[in-house]
Amino acid sequence: VAAAGAEERVAEVARMLAMSFEGATPAAIGMHPGHGALAAVGALLHYVRSTQTTIPGHLSWPSLEQPERFLSMDVSSRRNLELVEGLQGGVAKTLWGVLDDCSTASGSRLLKRWICFPENSQIETRHRLDAVDALMTCPDTSWLDALQWCGDMERVVARIGLQTAKPKDLASLRSTLSVLGTLTTGLQLYGDKVMRLESIGRTLAAPPAILAMLESALAESPRTFLRDGGVIATGFDAELDECRALTDNADGVLSAMAAKERDATGISTLKIEYNRNSGYCIEVSKGQLDKVPPHYQRKQSLKNAERYTIAELRDFENKVLTAVDRGLKREKVLYEQLLKDLQRHVVWLVSMGQALSQLDVLACFARQSAAWNYTRPVFVDQPTLQVKAGRHPVVERHTKKYQDNDVVLGAEQRTYVITGPNMGGKSTLMRQTALMARTAYMGCRVPAAEVTVGPMDAICTRIGASDDVASGRSTFMVEMEEAANILTKATPRTLAVLDEIGRGTSSLEGAALAQAVLEHLHTHSQCMTFFATHYRELALGLLGTKGMRFVHALTDEEPGRVIFTHAMGEGI
């Protein structure tokens, strides 16, 4: 019975895929009938259909995410390294916060995705770095200023696909399309020498029909809401223009009518006005009521005046109010047709938005690299991480003086054991090295004089003291779980960063745990390891171990105070 039920669910997902995406089957998206991700695909398709009644055109086929494509990092490691959120909250002092110089919101979000999920493919990384280098060396990059006029295409295109785009969204799309020519012309400077920029340039080549459609149909400064009118451009539709002519000329007609009535009645104070409650009316002051003709029909009494109407004014009011209503209805029809016409281009719009975001991020990398003297990492085939004069990308932005450091990790020297006082720079050195490795695999230059990086599969960290009281986990338990996760997953291509293992228990037990973890990582996992500890006896006992390097945080002394230099010296 269970097997039969599973077969029915798989068949239902297959039917939903076929209805939603032409030619899509479980096999076509890389999922066999027993694959667990099929349930997620079915649930998502069911949710989208139930909320939108259809599958929006901007959605692409479901794809199976391959974890091995990315440089793995668990949630606690992302938090410890402060990639996109600081330990104290906020983003200003995070890697995302200091790198984000993107011109568009979608570019900023793509940068965040690259930081959280960098691809571990050195080929992809080299393509990005080639593009960054080309943008840095170009003598004139003023064409990149056009990115400031681009909107959030990711969200605009999604709203077009859902048929919920507001007039301001289409105005943003028009603004973006109007500068694509400038961007593609700038990208042509590189020809086909830079593969990534050439690919982006081809994608940004806009079909002329889209921009022409928006320029002719959309008002120069459309109102925020369609219900307010003023969205469709004058001259685009004859029926709409006729309705607008009636309303636009209303003041002139009323002025002429008021002048005629003043001449006919001799009432010098007579005026015709529009009131939201009573509509169009003739207003006569109390002092001249004796001159009011018999055919005037009283409409409203005021303290100092009386309001009247006449047949001619009622006819005019009906025409104007009808014209306003007809104009708004006509604008709604024309706007909905414009959204439908844009649906034909939604596939290209999605690709254009993605290419635009990627160009925005690459340009951001180029600006940051030039401003902060970042260098291009060299990628090799053997697991290694060598840094000369490395700097912490966040700390150097918030301190007047920063001490750089060298790091050499590889087959001959797999482990760094770091000792020294609190605030001496141990954690900073470890964090900056992990951040440099991650930044390199994002396709960005790194803050160092020289960097050599080999293949990596993960960056794992165990940093800081924290508990999880709600889940009943003490500081010691959290530390041990994170350490166990590293011990289980670490390979020779893993960079492991561990800070003060063995807290939260007795000194002897803590030292024994720290030594056991360190020896396992060094001897069995053989991963690239940073290990900071206050257990001096542990370091003394392992001194001389092949492949281990022992360094300590240096300090300077002045009368009455100790100065932490953040520099590292040999030994313990």
Side-chain angles (χ1 to χ4, degrees):
V1 175
E7 290 178 2
E8 289 180 4
R9 288 193 293 273
V10 171
E12 177 62 23
V13 173
R15 283 194 296 271
M16 294 181 70
L17 276 171
M19 287 191 300
S20 305
F21 306 100
E22 186 176 352
T25 63
I29 61 175
M31 300 179 191
H32 55 78
H35 203 293
L38 274 179
V41 172
L44 286 171
L45 289 176
H46 176 73
Y47 173 78
V48 173
R49 281 193 170 277
S50 62
T51 56
Q52 307 300 326
T53 70
T54 185
I55 296 296
H58 71 284
L59 295 184
S60 56
W61 280 25
S63 60
L64 187 61
E65 200 87 308
Q66 303 293 342
E68 58 271 15
R69 278 184 52 208
F70 304 99
L71 189 60
S72 175
M73 180 177 282
D74 58 32
V75 174
S76 63
S77 295
R78 289 196 196 113
R79 183 179 62 251
N80 291 333
L81 291 179
E82 298 181 287
L83 297 180
V84 296
E85 183 178 0
L87 292 174
Q88 307 302 321
V91 299
K93 295 184 179 180
T94 65
L95 182 61
W96 185 37
V98 298
L99 286 182
D100 187 11
D101 185 28
C102 294
S103 301
T104 66
S106 55
S108 182
R109 287 195 299 273
L110 179 62
L111 171 59
K112 185 177 182 180
R113 286 196 290 271
W114 282 8
I115 291 174
C116 292
F117 303 100
E119 296 200 25
N120 63 11
S121 166
Q122 293 187 3
I123 296 174
E124 169 64 18
T125 302
R126 288 191 180 101
H127 286 326
R128 294 179 186 177
L129 286 168
D130 289 343
V132 172
D133 290 350
L135 293 173
M136 288 181 66
T137 56
C138 181
D140 180 18
T141 56
S142 59
W143 56 274
L144 283 170
D145 294 341
L147 285 168
Q148 298 175 9
W149 299 99
C150 296
D152 189 347
M153 288 300 97
E154 189 175 36
R155 292 186 175 175
V156 168
V157 175
R159 290 167 185 159
I160 291 173
L162 292 168
Q163 298 284 285
T164 59
K166 293 181 173 60
K168 293 295 184 183
D169 295 324
L170 298 194
S172 176
L173 174 60
R174 180 180 59 190
S175 174
T176 301
L177 294 175
S178 68
V179 300
L180 289 188
T182 302
L183 294 175
T184 52
T185 301
L187 289 167
Q188 287 171 3
L189 296 172
Y190 307 98
D192 57 357
K193 299 176 184 177
V194 184
M195 183 181 297
R196 184 53 46 85
L197 295 182
E198 191 268 339
S199 173
I200 291 173
R202 280 189 284 106
T203 305
L204 293 182
I210 306 181
L211 181 56
M213 181 195 314
L214 289 169
E215 287 181 333
S216 62
L218 201 63
E220 184 176 351
S221 298
R223 300 277 184 86
T224 302
F225 300 105
L226 180 60
R227 64 174 180 266
D228 296 330
V231 171
I232 302 299
T234 301
F236 180 72
D237 181 74
E239 182 181 342
L240 177 60
D241 290 345
E242 181 183 352
C243 294
R244 284 178 175 171
L246 281 171
T247 56
D248 293 343
N249 296 329
D251 290 342
V253 174
L254 289 175
S255 296
M257 189 183 301
K260 186 180 76 169
E261 290 299 316
R262 281 195 294 270
D263 292 340
T265 61
I267 303 174
S268 59
T269 59
L270 183 146
K271 56 185 178 181
I272 300 179
E273 293 183 342
Y274 175 78
N275 180 273
R276 180 174 296 181
N277 296 322
S278 55
Y280 290 99
C281 55
I282 300 171
E283 189 171 300
V284 180
S285 63
K286 294 285 188 180
Q288 294 190 311
L289 291 181
D290 57 326
K291 298 180 181 179
V292 173
H295 66 281
Y296 274 34
Q297 298 177 8
R298 182 178 281 106
K299 203 170 186 181
Q300 188 178 17
S301 294
L302 303 177
K303 181 178 180 181
N304 298 316
E306 294 286 336
R307 287 176 174 170
Y308 300 89
T309 186
I310 57 177
E312 184 180 359
L313 186 58
R314 286 195 299 271
D315 292 341
F316 173 79
E317 181 176 17
N318 289 335
K319 287 181 181 180
V320 171
L321 295 180
T322 302
V324 171
D325 188 53
R326 284 193 295 118
L328 291 175
K329 288 181 179 178
R330 183 61 181 167
E331 273 200 274
K332 186 173 184 295
V333 170
L334 294 171
Y335 187 79
E336 290 175 349
Q337 184 59 49
L338 179 59
L339 288 180
K340 289 179 182 178
D341 292 340
L342 287 172
Q343 287 292 312
R344 298 198 300 269
H345 305 283
V346 76
V347 174
W348 175 80
L349 288 172
V350 171
S351 301
M352 179 271 291
Q354 293 170 347
L356 202 60
S357 299
Q358 195 166 152
L359 176 61
D360 194 10
V361 176
L362 295 173
C364 167
F365 285 169
R367 287 191 298 271
Q368 295 284 11
S369 298
W372 292 92
N373 194 29
Y374 287 7
T375 190
R376 174 169 177 151
V378 176
F379 288 89
V380 296
D381 295 331
Q382 298 301 319
T384 185
L385 179 57
Q386 301 179 28
V387 179
K388 182 178 180 181
R391 315 185 306 273
H392 194 294
V394 180
V395 175
E396 73 168 344
R397 308 268 185 116
H398 297 88
T399 185
K400 294 181 180 179
K401 184 178 179 181
Y402 187 82
Q403 174 65 50
D404 52 40
N405 285 286
D406 299 343
V407 169
V408 178
L409 285 170
E412 299 299 321
Q413 185 173 282
R414 296 190 301 275
T415 303
Y416 265 67
V417 179
I418 309 173
T419 57
N422 288 326
M423 299 302 295
K426 305 188 299 299
S427 295
T428 301
L429 173 63
M430 296 190 296
R431 283 185 167 101
Q432 78 181 35
T433 307
L435 287 175
M436 275 188 280
R438 198 162 187 84
T439 303
Y441 270 98
M442 283 161 44
C444 180
R445 290 184 166 214
V446 294
E450 296 178 11
V451 177
T452 302
V453 186
M456 284 189 177
D457 56 13
I459 297 176
C460 304
T461 70
R462 160 78 291 276
I463 301 174
S466 62
D467 54 27
D468 186 357
V469 177
S471 301
R473 297 158 70 220
S474 66
T475 300
F476 180 72
M477 177 61 75
V478 171
E479 180 183 297
M480 289 299 100
E481 286 182 352
E482 292 180 0
N485 182 54
I486 296 174
L487 294 173
T488 303
K489 296 181 178 179
T491 72
R493 295 187 174 190
T494 299
L495 174 62
V497 176
L498 298 96
D499 188 11
E500 300 182 29
I501 288 289
R503 288 174 298 190
T505 186
S506 68
S507 298
L508 290 177
E509 288 177 344
L513 279 169
Q515 182 171 342
V517 169
L518 177 58
E519 288 180 346
H520 188 281
L521 290 173
H522 183 74
T523 305
H524 297 281
S525 302
Q526 296 186 358
C527 60
M528 296 173 284
T529 305
F530 278 102
F531 195 94
T533 183
H534 283 306
Y535 293 123
R536 183 176 176 83
E537 296 79 5
L538 181 156
L540 286 171
L542 294 174
L543 200 62
T545 303
K546 184 179 179 181
M548 279 191 188
R549 182 179 179 182
F550 295 83
V551 298
H552 65 282
L554 298 176
T555 59
D556 287 341
E557 293 188 16
E558 290 184 357
R561 65 174 183 153
V562 176
I563 300 174
F564 298 111
T565 64
H566 286 196
M568 295 293 153
E570 295 293 330
I572 58 177

